[in-house]
Amino acid sequence: MATWNIQGKRLQEALQVAEDFQAGFHVLHLQEVSPEVEVADGGHSCMYVGADQVVLAKPHGCFRALATVVEEGFLPNGFKIKVGHSHVALFATNQCSGRKLLLVNIHLPHGSRPLEDLQNAVDSIISQCSSATDSGEEVYMFGDFNQCLIHGCGDRRLVLDGLLQRMGLHYYSGNSMGTRNPTGSRLDTLAINFAAFQTLVEIDPEDPHMTWGEEAYLWCCKQTLGVDHVLVQWDFLWNNHSRVARARMQQDGPRKRARNFAGRKQVHDLSSLAALVYEGHNSLMDGGLSDCLLYTSPSPRDLNPNLV
């Protein structure tokens, strides 16, 4: 998963930069998009960019569009779309875990706007999305929060805390490095609920910021596109317990799993896991990682050329 505020750039331009730097994702949330097609206020439009599905939306409270880019095949059964104040939500089924899934792309009002505007955005999100948490669905909310989730105080923080608590979003990165510049505030992040958290495998228990995922700031994308915000990306290992997920794993076989891990080795530092899977380590195949999928699939050119 990844998020990026592209500050008025075109969708195609941002996607090309992400591809050039091999930013792999199943779902990409973009904020402040200048869309190639007109989208009415409060409405949305669906399109394809290559084989990927794109939902363009113009929520109330956002002066530019939001775009949710879904990789081909990740949500094969489709999704339901809701557009509210400062967000667009996709309700679907997670093909990896077999559970219901909610993806929320947000761009909350910044600090110079009235507190009432932020409260309206929070009320809208809770109204449209809280039923997913209440029914035990996986919830992934990521985008431009315009507020650091780690530090902060005052009325705006109290309003944001109300959103996190009502939605059960108690899991997020503890890294406070700025997402416009390293010494600034962290505005762009991801928060998940317990239903999502319990499906993820602990990657690095020594990581002080995020043990259940690997986070990367892609400064190269920010510099190339010429925007203020960095592209933030998360890689997960998914613990598969459902019949749907196990059936998919059996169909894919160990060779495909090895390709997935080896491909990510070249993009992110999951080298120890990648090497073990590539070498066919029995303890991994038989004792746990056989029930795991690497969440972000690589493109073919990312893959190890020695694997066929």
Side-chain angles (χ1 to χ4, degrees):
M1 293 183 178
T3 188
W4 196 9
N5 185 324
I6 60 174
Q7 295 183 299
K9 300 295 185 178
R10 295 284 184 178
L11 172 67
Q12 295 271 17
E13 186 179 1
L15 293 180
Q16 185 61 57
V17 170
E19 182 179 352
D20 289 345
F21 287 99
Q22 299 182 353
F25 50 80
H26 281 334
V27 181
L28 170 65
H29 284 178
L30 298 173
Q31 301 83 42
E32 292 196 36
V33 179
S34 291
E36 283 81 355
V37 297
E38 185 175 352
V39 182
D41 288 342
H44 71 272
S45 177
C46 297
M47 57 184 289
Y48 281 88
V49 175
D52 296 337
Q53 296 174 283
V54 179
V55 177
L56 284 169
K58 183 72 186 310
H60 298 297
C62 294
F63 63 97
R64 292 193 180 109
L66 303 182
T68 299
V69 184
V70 180
E71 184 185 44
E72 178 189 15
F74 179 58
L75 301 177
N77 297 322
F79 42 79
K80 179 181 177 181
I81 303 167
K82 290 185 178 181
V83 181
H85 193 302
S86 302
H87 75 280
V88 56
L90 270 60
F91 297 79
T93 299
N94 184 340
Q95 186 173 336
C96 293
S97 68
R99 301 175 62 173
K100 289 187 177 180
L101 169 75
L102 170 61
L103 301 165
V104 188
N105 184 355
I106 67 168
H107 187 193
L108 295 179
H110 54 72
S112 63
R113 287 165 61 177
L115 182 64
E116 181 182 6
D117 203 13
L118 176 60
Q119 185 65 65
N120 289 338
V122 166
D123 291 344
S124 176
I125 295 171
I126 291 174
S127 174
Q128 291 194 340
C129 302
S130 61
S131 60
T133 290
D134 296 341
S135 59
E137 298 178 22
E138 298 174 27
V139 178
Y140 298 80
M141 183 180 295
F142 51 112
D144 187 348
F145 283 74
N146 263 313
Q147 173 84 41
C148 181
L149 301 187
I150 305 161
H151 306 298
C153 58
D155 292 340
R156 294 182 61 82
R157 179 58 202 236
L158 290 175
V159 172
L160 186 57
D161 282 345
L163 171 65
L164 299 177
Q165 292 172 13
R166 180 62 184 88
M167 292 295 299
L169 302 173
H170 302 308
Y171 302 90
Y172 45 83
S173 172
N175 181 10
S176 60
M177 180 185 291
T179 50
R180 299 185 69 171
N181 61 76
T183 59
S185 296
R186 172 152 198 183
L187 306 178
D188 310 271
T189 193
L190 168 145
I192 67 175
N193 68 348
F194 179 71
F197 173 77
Q198 66 181 351
T199 69
L200 303 178
V201 176
E202 186 175 59
I203 292 178
D204 183 2
E206 303 300 324
D207 190 324
H209 303 309
M210 178 185 282
T211 64
W212 42 272
E214 186 174 82
E215 182 175 71
Y217 285 30
L218 277 64
W219 298 104
C220 50
C221 293
K222 161 183 155 62
Q223 294 164 358
T224 301
L225 192 60
V227 295
D228 287 346
H229 290 249
V230 68
L231 190 159
V232 187
Q233 179 175 295
W234 301 273
D235 283 336
F236 303 129
L237 288 169
W238 222 306
N239 184 10
N240 296 301
H241 296 293
S242 69
R243 288 184 301 170
V244 174
R246 288 185 179 277
R248 181 182 175 187
M249 293 296 295
Q250 292 170 0
Q251 182 178 2
D252 289 347
R255 172 69 77 164
K256 184 171 182 180
R257 292 197 295 273
R259 289 206 302 268
N260 283 341
F261 277 98
R264 297 313 302 165
K265 178 182 176 182
Q266 297 182 16
V267 181
H268 294 289
D269 187 18
L270 288 172
S271 55
S272 59
L273 291 174
L276 288 170
V277 175
Y278 177 66
E279 293 167 5
H281 196 284
N282 289 334
S283 66
L284 291 182
M285 291 296 101
D286 299 332
L289 275 182
S290 60
D291 287 336
C292 301
L293 267 176
L294 189 63
Y295 181 83
T296 303
S297 300
S299 63
R301 68 167 175 272
D302 295 331
L303 301 175
N304 190 322
N306 295 321
L307 296 172
V308 295

